[in-house]
Short mmCIF file of all heavy atoms in Angstrom, two decimals:
data_model
loop_
_atom_site.label_atom_id
_atom_site.label_comp_id
_atom_site.label_asym_id
_atom_site.label_seq_id
_atom_site.Cartn_x
_atom_site.Cartn_y
_atom_site.Cartn_z
N GLY A 71 -3.95 13.68 -18.04
CA GLY A 71 -3.78 12.23 -18.00
C GLY A 71 -3.27 11.76 -16.65
O GLY A 71 -3.71 10.72 -16.12
N ALA A 72 -2.35 12.52 -16.07
CA ALA A 72 -1.84 12.18 -14.74
C ALA A 72 -2.93 12.32 -13.68
O ALA A 72 -3.02 11.51 -12.74
CB ALA A 72 -0.65 13.08 -14.40
N LEU A 73 -3.81 13.32 -13.82
CA LEU A 73 -4.92 13.48 -12.87
C LEU A 73 -5.90 12.32 -12.95
O LEU A 73 -6.47 11.90 -11.93
CB LEU A 73 -5.63 14.81 -13.13
CG LEU A 73 -4.84 16.09 -12.79
CD1 LEU A 73 -5.65 17.31 -13.17
CD2 LEU A 73 -4.47 16.12 -11.31
N PHE A 74 -6.13 11.81 -14.15
CA PHE A 74 -6.98 10.64 -14.29
C PHE A 74 -6.40 9.46 -13.53
O PHE A 74 -7.13 8.68 -12.89
CB PHE A 74 -7.16 10.27 -15.77
CG PHE A 74 -8.24 11.04 -16.46
CD1 PHE A 74 -7.93 11.96 -17.45
CD2 PHE A 74 -9.57 10.83 -16.13
CE1 PHE A 74 -8.93 12.68 -18.08
CE2 PHE A 74 -10.58 11.54 -16.76
CZ PHE A 74 -10.26 12.48 -17.74
N ILE A 75 -5.08 9.31 -13.60
CA ILE A 75 -4.43 8.23 -12.86
C ILE A 75 -4.60 8.43 -11.36
O ILE A 75 -4.89 7.49 -10.61
CB ILE A 75 -2.93 8.15 -13.24
CG1 ILE A 75 -2.78 7.67 -14.68
CG2 ILE A 75 -2.18 7.23 -12.29
CD1 ILE A 75 -1.36 7.68 -15.19
N ILE A 76 -4.44 9.68 -10.92
CA ILE A 76 -4.59 9.98 -9.48
C ILE A 76 -6.00 9.65 -9.01
O ILE A 76 -6.20 9.13 -7.90
CB ILE A 76 -4.26 11.47 -9.22
CG1 ILE A 76 -2.76 11.73 -9.49
CG2 ILE A 76 -4.61 11.86 -7.79
CD1 ILE A 76 -2.40 13.21 -9.50
N ARG A 77 -6.98 9.93 -9.83
CA ARG A 77 -8.37 9.73 -9.42
C ARG A 77 -8.85 8.28 -9.61
O ARG A 77 -9.52 7.71 -8.76
CB ARG A 77 -9.28 10.67 -10.22
CG ARG A 77 -10.75 10.61 -9.82
CD ARG A 77 -10.96 10.94 -8.37
NE ARG A 77 -12.38 11.18 -8.06
CZ ARG A 77 -12.86 11.24 -6.83
NH1 ARG A 77 -12.05 11.07 -5.80
NH2 ARG A 77 -14.14 11.47 -6.63
N TYR A 78 -8.48 7.69 -10.77
CA TYR A 78 -9.05 6.39 -11.12
C TYR A 78 -8.04 5.24 -11.12
O TYR A 78 -8.39 4.11 -11.48
CB TYR A 78 -9.72 6.46 -12.50
CG TYR A 78 -10.85 7.46 -12.54
CD1 TYR A 78 -10.70 8.67 -13.22
CD2 TYR A 78 -12.05 7.20 -11.88
CE1 TYR A 78 -11.74 9.59 -13.24
CE2 TYR A 78 -13.09 8.12 -11.91
CZ TYR A 78 -12.92 9.31 -12.60
OH TYR A 78 -13.94 10.21 -12.61
N GLY A 79 -6.80 5.53 -10.75
CA GLY A 79 -5.82 4.47 -10.67
C GLY A 79 -4.99 4.34 -11.93
O GLY A 79 -5.25 4.95 -12.97
N LEU A 80 -3.97 3.53 -11.82
CA LEU A 80 -3.01 3.36 -12.92
C LEU A 80 -3.60 2.45 -13.98
O LEU A 80 -3.65 1.22 -13.81
CB LEU A 80 -1.72 2.78 -12.36
CG LEU A 80 -0.51 2.77 -13.29
CD1 LEU A 80 -0.13 4.17 -13.73
CD2 LEU A 80 0.67 2.09 -12.61
N ARG A 81 -4.06 3.04 -15.06
CA ARG A 81 -4.67 2.28 -16.14
C ARG A 81 -3.93 2.55 -17.45
O ARG A 81 -3.42 3.63 -17.68
CB ARG A 81 -6.15 2.64 -16.28
CG ARG A 81 -6.94 2.39 -15.00
CD ARG A 81 -8.40 2.66 -15.17
NE ARG A 81 -9.12 2.49 -13.91
CZ ARG A 81 -10.44 2.58 -13.78
NH1 ARG A 81 -11.19 2.83 -14.85
NH2 ARG A 81 -11.01 2.42 -12.60
N MET A 82 -3.92 1.52 -18.30
CA MET A 82 -3.14 1.61 -19.53
C MET A 82 -3.58 2.74 -20.44
O MET A 82 -2.77 3.38 -21.10
CB MET A 82 -3.23 0.27 -20.28
CG MET A 82 -2.54 -0.89 -19.56
SD MET A 82 -0.78 -0.57 -19.21
CE MET A 82 -0.15 -0.47 -20.87
N LYS A 83 -4.87 3.02 -20.50
CA LYS A 83 -5.34 4.06 -21.41
C LYS A 83 -4.84 5.44 -21.00
O LYS A 83 -4.59 6.30 -21.85
CB LYS A 83 -6.86 4.05 -21.52
CG LYS A 83 -7.60 4.23 -20.20
CD LYS A 83 -9.11 4.07 -20.42
CE LYS A 83 -9.88 4.17 -19.11
NZ LYS A 83 -11.33 3.98 -19.32
N TYR A 84 -4.68 5.66 -19.68
CA TYR A 84 -4.15 6.95 -19.23
C TYR A 84 -2.65 7.05 -19.51
O TYR A 84 -2.14 8.11 -19.89
CB TYR A 84 -4.43 7.14 -17.74
CG TYR A 84 -5.88 7.02 -17.38
CD1 TYR A 84 -6.27 6.45 -16.16
CD2 TYR A 84 -6.88 7.48 -18.23
CE1 TYR A 84 -7.62 6.34 -15.82
CE2 TYR A 84 -8.21 7.37 -17.90
CZ TYR A 84 -8.58 6.80 -16.70
OH TYR A 84 -9.92 6.68 -16.37
N LEU A 85 -1.96 5.93 -19.31
CA LEU A 85 -0.53 5.91 -19.66
C LEU A 85 -0.34 6.14 -21.15
O LEU A 85 0.56 6.87 -21.57
CB LEU A 85 0.09 4.57 -19.24
CG LEU A 85 0.25 4.31 -17.75
CD1 LEU A 85 0.79 2.90 -17.52
CD2 LEU A 85 1.18 5.34 -17.13
N ALA A 86 -1.18 5.49 -21.94
CA ALA A 86 -1.08 5.65 -23.40
C ALA A 86 -1.30 7.11 -23.80
O ALA A 86 -0.60 7.64 -24.69
CB ALA A 86 -2.10 4.75 -24.09
N LEU A 87 -2.27 7.76 -23.16
CA LEU A 87 -2.53 9.17 -23.45
C LEU A 87 -1.30 10.02 -23.16
O LEU A 87 -0.89 10.84 -24.00
CB LEU A 87 -3.71 9.66 -22.61
CG LEU A 87 -4.04 11.15 -22.72
CD1 LEU A 87 -4.51 11.50 -24.11
CD2 LEU A 87 -5.07 11.56 -21.66
N ILE A 88 -0.69 9.82 -21.99
CA ILE A 88 0.49 10.62 -21.62
C ILE A 88 1.64 10.37 -22.60
O ILE A 88 2.31 11.31 -23.06
CB ILE A 88 0.92 10.29 -20.18
CG1 ILE A 88 -0.16 10.74 -19.19
CG2 ILE A 88 2.25 10.97 -19.84
CD1 ILE A 88 0.10 10.31 -17.76
N ILE A 89 1.87 9.11 -22.94
CA ILE A 89 2.99 8.77 -23.82
C ILE A 89 2.78 9.35 -25.22
O ILE A 89 3.68 9.95 -25.81
CB ILE A 89 3.18 7.25 -23.88
CG1 ILE A 89 3.66 6.73 -22.51
CG2 ILE A 89 4.18 6.87 -24.97
CD1 ILE A 89 3.68 5.22 -22.40
N MET A 90 1.57 9.17 -25.78
CA MET A 90 1.31 9.65 -27.15
C MET A 90 1.37 11.17 -27.24
O MET A 90 1.95 11.72 -28.19
CB MET A 90 -0.05 9.13 -27.64
CG MET A 90 -0.06 7.64 -27.93
SD MET A 90 -1.57 7.09 -28.76
CE MET A 90 -2.80 7.42 -27.49
N VAL A 91 0.78 11.86 -26.27
CA VAL A 91 0.80 13.32 -26.30
C VAL A 91 2.22 13.85 -26.09
O VAL A 91 2.63 14.81 -26.73
CB VAL A 91 -0.15 13.89 -25.23
CG1 VAL A 91 -0.02 15.40 -25.14
CG2 VAL A 91 -1.59 13.51 -25.56
N SER A 92 3.00 13.19 -25.23
CA SER A 92 4.39 13.61 -25.03
C SER A 92 5.21 13.40 -26.29
O SER A 92 6.05 14.24 -26.65
CB SER A 92 5.01 12.83 -23.85
OG SER A 92 4.37 13.12 -22.65
N ALA A 93 4.98 12.28 -26.96
CA ALA A 93 5.70 12.02 -28.21
C ALA A 93 5.36 13.08 -29.26
O ALA A 93 6.24 13.58 -29.97
CB ALA A 93 5.35 10.62 -28.73
N PHE A 94 4.07 13.42 -29.35
CA PHE A 94 3.67 14.48 -30.29
C PHE A 94 4.29 15.81 -29.88
O PHE A 94 4.72 16.59 -30.74
CB PHE A 94 2.15 14.60 -30.33
CG PHE A 94 1.66 15.71 -31.22
CD1 PHE A 94 1.66 15.55 -32.59
CD2 PHE A 94 1.24 16.92 -30.68
CE1 PHE A 94 1.24 16.59 -33.42
CE2 PHE A 94 0.81 17.95 -31.50
CZ PHE A 94 0.81 17.78 -32.88
N GLY A 95 4.35 16.07 -28.58
CA GLY A 95 4.95 17.32 -28.11
C GLY A 95 6.41 17.42 -28.46
O GLY A 95 6.90 18.49 -28.84
N ILE A 96 7.15 16.32 -28.34
CA ILE A 96 8.58 16.32 -28.72
C ILE A 96 8.72 16.61 -30.21
O ILE A 96 9.55 17.41 -30.64
CB ILE A 96 9.23 14.98 -28.34
CG1 ILE A 96 9.32 14.84 -26.82
CG2 ILE A 96 10.63 14.87 -28.95
CD1 ILE A 96 9.77 13.48 -26.36
N TRP A 97 7.88 15.93 -31.01
CA TRP A 97 7.94 16.20 -32.46
C TRP A 97 7.62 17.66 -32.75
O TRP A 97 8.30 18.32 -33.54
CB TRP A 97 6.95 15.29 -33.20
CG TRP A 97 6.82 15.68 -34.64
CD1 TRP A 97 7.61 15.31 -35.68
CD2 TRP A 97 5.83 16.59 -35.20
NE1 TRP A 97 7.20 15.91 -36.85
CE2 TRP A 97 6.11 16.70 -36.58
CE3 TRP A 97 4.76 17.29 -34.66
CZ2 TRP A 97 5.34 17.48 -37.42
CZ3 TRP A 97 4.00 18.08 -35.52
CH2 TRP A 97 4.28 18.16 -36.88
N ASN A 98 6.57 18.18 -32.13
CA ASN A 98 6.15 19.56 -32.37
C ASN A 98 7.24 20.55 -31.98
O ASN A 98 7.51 21.52 -32.69
CB ASN A 98 4.87 19.86 -31.58
CG ASN A 98 4.18 21.13 -32.02
OD1 ASN A 98 4.67 21.86 -32.87
ND2 ASN A 98 3.05 21.42 -31.41
N ALA A 99 7.92 20.28 -30.86
CA ALA A 99 8.99 21.17 -30.40
C ALA A 99 10.13 21.20 -31.40
O ALA A 99 10.65 22.28 -31.74
CB ALA A 99 9.48 20.73 -29.02
N PHE A 100 10.53 20.04 -31.88
CA PHE A 100 11.65 20.01 -32.83
C PHE A 100 11.23 20.50 -34.21
O PHE A 100 12.04 21.07 -34.94
CB PHE A 100 12.24 18.60 -32.90
CG PHE A 100 13.20 18.31 -31.79
CD1 PHE A 100 12.77 17.71 -30.62
CD2 PHE A 100 14.53 18.68 -31.90
CE1 PHE A 100 13.65 17.46 -29.58
CE2 PHE A 100 15.41 18.44 -30.87
CZ PHE A 100 14.98 17.83 -29.71
N TRP A 101 9.97 20.27 -34.58
CA TRP A 101 9.47 20.84 -35.84
C TRP A 101 9.54 22.36 -35.76
O TRP A 101 9.96 23.03 -36.71
CB TRP A 101 8.04 20.38 -36.07
CG TRP A 101 7.40 20.99 -37.29
CD1 TRP A 101 7.49 20.55 -38.57
CD2 TRP A 101 6.58 22.17 -37.32
NE1 TRP A 101 6.78 21.39 -39.41
CE2 TRP A 101 6.22 22.39 -38.67
CE3 TRP A 101 6.13 23.06 -36.35
CZ2 TRP A 101 5.41 23.45 -39.06
CZ3 TRP A 101 5.33 24.13 -36.75
CH2 TRP A 101 4.98 24.30 -38.08
N HIS A 102 9.11 22.91 -34.63
CA HIS A 102 9.14 24.36 -34.44
C HIS A 102 10.58 24.87 -34.44
O HIS A 102 10.90 25.89 -35.07
CB HIS A 102 8.45 24.71 -33.11
CG HIS A 102 7.99 26.12 -33.04
ND1 HIS A 102 7.18 26.59 -32.01
CD2 HIS A 102 8.20 27.19 -33.84
CE1 HIS A 102 6.93 27.86 -32.20
NE2 HIS A 102 7.55 28.26 -33.29
N LEU A 103 11.45 24.16 -33.74
CA LEU A 103 12.85 24.56 -33.70
C LEU A 103 13.48 24.51 -35.07
O LEU A 103 14.37 25.31 -35.40
CB LEU A 103 13.62 23.66 -32.74
CG LEU A 103 15.14 23.89 -32.66
CD1 LEU A 103 15.43 25.24 -32.02
CD2 LEU A 103 15.83 22.77 -31.91
N GLY A 104 13.02 23.57 -35.90
CA GLY A 104 13.62 23.40 -37.22
C GLY A 104 13.58 24.64 -38.09
O GLY A 104 14.43 24.83 -38.97
N TRP A 105 12.61 25.52 -37.82
CA TRP A 105 12.52 26.74 -38.62
C TRP A 105 13.64 27.72 -38.26
O TRP A 105 13.96 28.62 -39.03
CB TRP A 105 11.16 27.42 -38.39
CG TRP A 105 10.03 26.61 -38.92
CD1 TRP A 105 9.19 25.80 -38.22
CD2 TRP A 105 9.59 26.52 -40.28
NE1 TRP A 105 8.27 25.21 -39.04
CE2 TRP A 105 8.49 25.63 -40.32
CE3 TRP A 105 10.03 27.08 -41.48
CZ2 TRP A 105 7.83 25.30 -41.49
CZ3 TRP A 105 9.36 26.76 -42.65
CH2 TRP A 105 8.28 25.88 -42.64
N TYR A 106 14.23 27.55 -37.09
CA TYR A 106 15.20 28.54 -36.61
C TYR A 106 16.57 27.93 -36.31
O TYR A 106 17.51 28.66 -36.00
CB TYR A 106 14.68 29.19 -35.33
CG TYR A 106 13.23 29.61 -35.41
CD1 TYR A 106 12.23 28.91 -34.76
CD2 TYR A 106 12.86 30.70 -36.20
CE1 TYR A 106 10.90 29.28 -34.86
CE2 TYR A 106 11.53 31.07 -36.30
CZ TYR A 106 10.55 30.37 -35.64
OH TYR A 106 9.24 30.73 -35.74
N ALA A 107 16.68 26.62 -36.40
CA ALA A 107 17.91 25.96 -35.97
C ALA A 107 19.13 26.39 -36.76
O ALA A 107 20.25 26.40 -36.24
CB ALA A 107 17.74 24.44 -36.05
N GLN A 108 18.94 26.76 -38.03
CA GLN A 108 20.08 27.13 -38.86
C GLN A 108 20.39 28.63 -38.83
O GLN A 108 21.27 29.09 -39.55
CB GLN A 108 19.81 26.70 -40.31
CG GLN A 108 19.56 25.21 -40.47
CD GLN A 108 20.73 24.38 -39.97
OE1 GLN A 108 21.88 24.74 -40.18
NE2 GLN A 108 20.44 23.28 -39.31
N MET A 109 19.67 29.36 -38.00
CA MET A 109 19.94 30.79 -37.90
C MET A 109 21.21 31.06 -37.11
O MET A 109 21.74 30.18 -36.43
CB MET A 109 18.76 31.51 -37.25
CG MET A 109 17.51 31.57 -38.09
SD MET A 109 16.19 32.51 -37.28
CE MET A 109 14.99 32.59 -38.60
N ASP A 110 21.70 32.26 -37.21
CA ASP A 110 22.89 32.64 -36.45
C ASP A 110 22.57 32.70 -34.96
O ASP A 110 21.41 32.73 -34.55
CB ASP A 110 23.40 34.01 -36.92
CG ASP A 110 24.06 33.93 -38.30
OD1 ASP A 110 24.10 32.82 -38.86
OD2 ASP A 110 24.53 34.96 -38.79
N ILE A 111 23.61 32.75 -34.16
CA ILE A 111 23.47 32.75 -32.71
C ILE A 111 22.59 33.92 -32.25
O ILE A 111 22.74 35.06 -32.73
CB ILE A 111 24.85 32.82 -32.02
CG1 ILE A 111 24.73 32.66 -30.52
CG2 ILE A 111 25.58 34.10 -32.38
CD1 ILE A 111 24.34 31.29 -30.09
N GLY A 112 21.66 33.64 -31.36
CA GLY A 112 20.78 34.68 -30.83
C GLY A 112 19.54 34.93 -31.65
O GLY A 112 18.63 35.62 -31.19
N GLN A 113 19.47 34.36 -32.87
CA GLN A 113 18.30 34.59 -33.71
C GLN A 113 17.25 33.53 -33.43
O GLN A 113 17.54 32.44 -32.95
CB GLN A 113 18.70 34.55 -35.19
CG GLN A 113 19.70 35.64 -35.57
CD GLN A 113 20.15 35.52 -37.01
OE1 GLN A 113 19.82 34.56 -37.72
NE2 GLN A 113 20.94 36.49 -37.46
N GLY A 114 16.00 33.86 -33.73
CA GLY A 114 14.92 32.91 -33.52
C GLY A 114 13.62 33.59 -33.15
O GLY A 114 13.41 34.77 -33.46
N GLN A 115 12.76 32.87 -32.49
CA GLN A 115 11.46 33.39 -32.10
C GLN A 115 11.18 32.97 -30.66
O GLN A 115 11.65 31.94 -30.20
CB GLN A 115 10.36 32.84 -33.01
CG GLN A 115 8.98 33.42 -32.72
CD GLN A 115 7.94 32.93 -33.72
OE1 GLN A 115 8.26 32.33 -34.70
NE2 GLN A 115 6.68 33.18 -33.42
N ALA A 116 10.42 33.77 -29.96
CA ALA A 116 10.02 33.54 -28.56
C ALA A 116 11.16 33.91 -27.63
O ALA A 116 12.30 34.10 -28.04
CB ALA A 116 9.57 32.10 -28.33
N LEU A 117 10.81 34.03 -26.36
CA LEU A 117 11.77 34.50 -25.37
C LEU A 117 12.82 33.43 -25.07
O LEU A 117 12.48 32.27 -24.86
CB LEU A 117 11.04 34.87 -24.08
CG LEU A 117 10.06 36.04 -24.18
CD1 LEU A 117 9.28 36.18 -22.88
CD2 LEU A 117 10.79 37.33 -24.49
N PRO A 118 14.09 33.80 -25.04
CA PRO A 118 15.13 32.82 -24.70
C PRO A 118 15.33 32.70 -23.20
O PRO A 118 15.28 33.69 -22.46
CB PRO A 118 16.38 33.40 -25.38
CG PRO A 118 16.15 34.88 -25.40
CD PRO A 118 14.66 35.09 -25.50
N ILE A 119 15.54 31.48 -22.74
CA ILE A 119 15.90 31.20 -21.36
C ILE A 119 17.23 30.46 -21.39
O ILE A 119 17.32 29.38 -21.98
CB ILE A 119 14.83 30.35 -20.66
CG1 ILE A 119 13.45 31.01 -20.76
CG2 ILE A 119 15.18 30.11 -19.20
CD1 ILE A 119 12.32 30.15 -20.27
N PHE A 120 18.25 31.04 -20.78
CA PHE A 120 19.60 30.50 -20.88
C PHE A 120 20.00 30.32 -22.35
O PHE A 120 20.63 29.33 -22.73
CB PHE A 120 19.72 29.18 -20.12
CG PHE A 120 19.40 29.29 -18.66
CD1 PHE A 120 18.33 28.60 -18.12
CD2 PHE A 120 20.16 30.11 -17.83
CE1 PHE A 120 18.02 28.70 -16.77
CE2 PHE A 120 19.85 30.21 -16.47
CZ PHE A 120 18.79 29.51 -15.94
N ASN A 121 19.59 31.29 -23.16
CA ASN A 121 19.93 31.34 -24.59
C ASN A 121 19.26 30.21 -25.39
O ASN A 121 19.67 29.92 -26.51
CB ASN A 121 21.44 31.31 -24.81
CG ASN A 121 21.84 32.09 -26.05
OD1 ASN A 121 21.17 33.05 -26.42
ND2 ASN A 121 22.91 31.70 -26.70
N ILE A 122 18.26 29.56 -24.81
CA ILE A 122 17.48 28.55 -25.53
C ILE A 122 16.05 29.04 -25.60
O ILE A 122 15.45 29.38 -24.59
CB ILE A 122 17.54 27.18 -24.82
CG1 ILE A 122 18.99 26.68 -24.73
CG2 ILE A 122 16.67 26.16 -25.54
CD1 ILE A 122 19.14 25.37 -23.98
N HIS A 123 15.48 29.08 -26.82
CA HIS A 123 14.14 29.61 -27.00
C HIS A 123 13.09 28.63 -26.46
O HIS A 123 13.34 27.43 -26.33
CB HIS A 123 13.90 29.93 -28.47
CG HIS A 123 14.69 31.10 -28.95
ND1 HIS A 123 14.27 32.40 -28.80
CD2 HIS A 123 15.90 31.18 -29.54
CE1 HIS A 123 15.18 33.23 -29.30
NE2 HIS A 123 16.18 32.51 -29.75
N THR A 124 11.92 29.18 -26.17
CA THR A 124 10.92 28.41 -25.43
C THR A 124 10.45 27.16 -26.15
O THR A 124 10.05 26.19 -25.51
CB THR A 124 9.70 29.31 -25.12
OG1 THR A 124 9.25 29.94 -26.33
CG2 THR A 124 10.05 30.37 -24.10
N GLN A 125 10.46 27.16 -27.49
CA GLN A 125 9.97 25.98 -28.18
C GLN A 125 10.84 24.74 -27.90
O GLN A 125 10.32 23.63 -27.79
CB GLN A 125 9.86 26.20 -29.70
CG GLN A 125 11.14 26.60 -30.40
CD GLN A 125 11.25 28.09 -30.54
OE1 GLN A 125 10.57 28.83 -29.84
NE2 GLN A 125 12.08 28.56 -31.46
N ILE A 126 12.14 24.93 -27.73
CA ILE A 126 12.98 23.77 -27.42
C ILE A 126 12.85 23.40 -25.95
O ILE A 126 12.99 22.23 -25.57
CB ILE A 126 14.44 24.01 -27.83
CG1 ILE A 126 15.21 22.67 -27.83
CG2 ILE A 126 15.12 25.01 -26.92
CD1 ILE A 126 14.66 21.64 -28.75
N TRP A 127 12.59 24.39 -25.11
CA TRP A 127 12.33 24.07 -23.71
C TRP A 127 11.09 23.18 -23.60
O TRP A 127 11.00 22.30 -22.74
CB TRP A 127 12.15 25.33 -22.88
CG TRP A 127 13.44 25.94 -22.43
CD1 TRP A 127 13.96 27.15 -22.78
CD2 TRP A 127 14.39 25.37 -21.52
NE1 TRP A 127 15.18 27.37 -22.17
CE2 TRP A 127 15.46 26.28 -21.37
CE3 TRP A 127 14.45 24.16 -20.81
CZ2 TRP A 127 16.56 26.04 -20.57
CZ3 TRP A 127 15.54 23.91 -20.00
CH2 TRP A 127 16.58 24.84 -19.88
N ALA A 128 10.10 23.41 -24.45
CA ALA A 128 8.91 22.56 -24.45
C ALA A 128 9.30 21.12 -24.76
O ALA A 128 8.79 20.18 -24.13
CB ALA A 128 7.90 23.07 -25.48
N GLY A 129 10.18 20.92 -25.71
CA GLY A 129 10.65 19.57 -26.01
C GLY A 129 11.35 18.94 -24.82
O GLY A 129 11.19 17.74 -24.54
N ILE A 130 12.13 19.74 -24.09
CA ILE A 130 12.81 19.24 -22.90
C ILE A 130 11.79 18.83 -21.83
O ILE A 130 11.96 17.82 -21.14
CB ILE A 130 13.78 20.31 -22.36
CG1 ILE A 130 14.91 20.56 -23.37
CG2 ILE A 130 14.35 19.90 -21.01
CD1 ILE A 130 15.82 21.72 -23.02
N VAL A 131 10.71 19.61 -21.70
CA VAL A 131 9.66 19.29 -20.72
C VAL A 131 9.03 17.93 -21.05
O VAL A 131 8.84 17.07 -20.17
CB VAL A 131 8.59 20.39 -20.69
CG1 VAL A 131 7.36 19.93 -19.90
CG2 VAL A 131 9.16 21.66 -20.08
N PHE A 132 8.72 17.70 -22.34
CA PHE A 132 8.09 16.43 -22.71
C PHE A 132 9.05 15.26 -22.52
O PHE A 132 8.64 14.16 -22.15
CB PHE A 132 7.58 16.50 -24.15
CG PHE A 132 6.36 17.38 -24.31
CD1 PHE A 132 6.42 18.54 -25.06
CD2 PHE A 132 5.17 17.03 -23.70
CE1 PHE A 132 5.31 19.35 -25.20
CE2 PHE A 132 4.04 17.83 -23.84
CZ PHE A 132 4.12 19.00 -24.58
N TRP A 133 10.32 15.49 -22.81
CA TRP A 133 11.31 14.47 -22.54
C TRP A 133 11.32 14.14 -21.03
O TRP A 133 11.35 12.97 -20.65
CB TRP A 133 12.70 14.96 -22.96
CG TRP A 133 13.31 14.17 -24.07
CD1 TRP A 133 13.17 12.84 -24.31
CD2 TRP A 133 14.14 14.70 -25.10
NE1 TRP A 133 13.89 12.49 -25.43
CE2 TRP A 133 14.49 13.59 -25.94
CE3 TRP A 133 14.65 15.95 -25.40
CZ2 TRP A 133 15.32 13.74 -27.04
CZ3 TRP A 133 15.47 16.08 -26.50
CH2 TRP A 133 15.80 15.00 -27.32
N ALA A 134 11.31 15.19 -20.22
CA ALA A 134 11.31 15.00 -18.77
C ALA A 134 10.07 14.24 -18.32
O ALA A 134 10.13 13.40 -17.41
CB ALA A 134 11.40 16.35 -18.06
N VAL A 135 8.91 14.52 -18.95
CA VAL A 135 7.68 13.82 -18.60
C VAL A 135 7.85 12.32 -18.80
O VAL A 135 7.48 11.51 -17.93
CB VAL A 135 6.50 14.34 -19.45
CG1 VAL A 135 5.30 13.40 -19.36
CG2 VAL A 135 6.09 15.73 -18.98
N LEU A 136 8.40 11.93 -19.94
CA LEU A 136 8.57 10.50 -20.22
C LEU A 136 9.57 9.86 -19.26
O LEU A 136 9.37 8.72 -18.80
CB LEU A 136 9.03 10.31 -21.67
CG LEU A 136 8.02 10.72 -22.74
CD1 LEU A 136 8.61 10.53 -24.13
CD2 LEU A 136 6.73 9.91 -22.61
N ILE A 137 10.64 10.58 -18.94
CA ILE A 137 11.64 10.04 -18.00
C ILE A 137 11.04 9.89 -16.60
O ILE A 137 11.18 8.85 -15.95
CB ILE A 137 12.89 10.93 -17.98
CG1 ILE A 137 13.61 10.87 -19.34
CG2 ILE A 137 13.85 10.49 -16.87
CD1 ILE A 137 14.74 11.86 -19.49
N VAL A 138 10.36 10.93 -16.13
CA VAL A 138 9.75 10.89 -14.80
C VAL A 138 8.66 9.82 -14.74
O VAL A 138 8.53 9.09 -13.75
CB VAL A 138 9.17 12.27 -14.42
CG1 VAL A 138 8.34 12.19 -13.15
CG2 VAL A 138 10.30 13.28 -14.25
N LEU A 139 7.89 9.70 -15.82
CA LEU A 139 6.86 8.66 -15.86
C LEU A 139 7.49 7.28 -15.72
O LEU A 139 6.99 6.42 -14.99
CB LEU A 139 6.07 8.75 -17.16
CG LEU A 139 4.97 7.70 -17.37
CD1 LEU A 139 3.89 7.86 -16.29
CD2 LEU A 139 4.36 7.82 -18.75
N GLY A 140 8.60 7.06 -16.40
CA GLY A 140 9.30 5.79 -16.28
C GLY A 140 9.78 5.52 -14.87
O GLY A 140 9.67 4.39 -14.36
#
Side-chain angles (χ1 to χ4, degrees):
L73 291 177
F74 276 112
I75 291 175
I76 294 170
R77 184 59 167 167
Y78 299 108
L80 191 60
R81 302 184 184 184
M82 293 303 296
K83 57 185 177 182
Y84 304 145
L85 290 176
L87 175 66
I88 294 173
I89 292 171
M90 289 190 295
V91 173
S92 296
F94 177 76
I96 291 172
W97 171 84
N98 194 356
F100 278 93
W101 176 85
H102 201 171
L103 176 68
W105 293 100
Y106 314 106
Q108 301 301 320
M109 290 183 172
D110 287 1
I111 187 70
Q113 298 176 354
Q115 184 176 349
L117 296 173
I119 305 172
F120 301 117
N121 212 29
I122 300 177
H123 290 276
T124 51
Q125 58 265 19
I126 194 59
W127 276 115
I130 294 173
V131 168
F132 288 115
W133 244 326
V135 165
L136 294 178
I137 293 172
V138 171
L139 179 63

